[in-house]
């Protein structure tokens, strides 16, 4: 399903709830395109939205594993892949194509960038 991605209001990373998930959103520092991933690191569950983009990788804040923003493959270990979701721009607004999670977004780590509930 299409999840609308609200403007980051000047932030380079933030999180969004949608499709029964918490999504991490990164603005690529050079191209300005948005990278949308699952918010839980596949290594040990860190809130990946507290990470950053460096040398065209998404970097996890806990153990600094790096993930390819194109396919989510971990550059440190072939055992891990971060789900990365395709994005589209329609009438000036960003959306991510995300499979619905019927289990809901409980169990996700709370990152610094999660909006207050
Ligand atoms: S929890 Fe992300 S690299 Fe370990």
């Amino acid at each position: 399903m299409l999840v609308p991605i609200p403007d980051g209001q000047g932030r380079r990373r933030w999180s969004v709830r949608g499709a029964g998930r918490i999504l991490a959103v990164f603005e690529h520092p050079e191209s300005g395109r948005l990278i949308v991933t699952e918010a839980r690191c596949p290594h040990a569950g860190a809130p990946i939205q507290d990470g950053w983009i460096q040398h065209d990788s998404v970097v996890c804040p806990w153990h600094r594993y790096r993930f390819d923003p194109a396919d989510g493959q971990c550059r440190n270990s072939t055992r891990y892949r971060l789900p990365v979701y395709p994005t589209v721009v329609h009438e000036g607004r960003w959306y991510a194509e995300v499979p619905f999670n019927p289990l809901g977004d409980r169990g996700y780590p709370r990152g610094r960038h999660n909006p207050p509930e």
Side-chain angles (χ1 to χ4, degrees):
M1 64 188 298
L2 281 180
V3 175
I5 306 297
D7 185 76
Q9 299 174 335
R11 294 173 294 181
R12 294 276 175 164
R13 54 193 180 169
W14 62 98
S15 63
V16 173
R17 287 179 191 269
R21 299 172 189 275
I22 299 176
L23 306 170
V25 183
F26 298 90
E27 183 183 294
H28 193 280
E30 283 134 36
S31 69
R33 75 183 168 93
L34 298 186
I35 299 163
V36 178
T37 76
E38 196 71 25
R40 187 170 27 209
C41 178
H43 175 232
I48 204 92
Q49 70 270 24
D50 287 350
W52 56 91
I53 302 289
Q54 185 178 40
H55 303 305
D56 209 29
S57 293
V58 175
V59 182
C60 177
W62 283 5
H63 307 105
R64 312 268 162 120
Y65 280 20
R66 296 177 302 114
F67 298 90
D68 186 328
D71 62 6
Q73 184 59 55
C74 181
R75 298 184 198 273
N76 301 83
S77 169
T78 56
R79 293 175 57 199
Y80 304 110
R81 194 181 75 76
L82 175 68
V84 176
Y85 301 114
T87 56
V88 293
V89 180
H90 180 68
E91 295 182 351
R93 297 202 58 195
W94 286 83
Y95 297 85
E97 177 78 47
V98 181
F100 179 70
N101 174 17
L103 301 177
D105 59 18
R106 283 192 209 138
Y108 279 78
R110 286 190 59 83
R112 283 182 294 150
H113 302 285
N114 283 338
E117 302 199 24

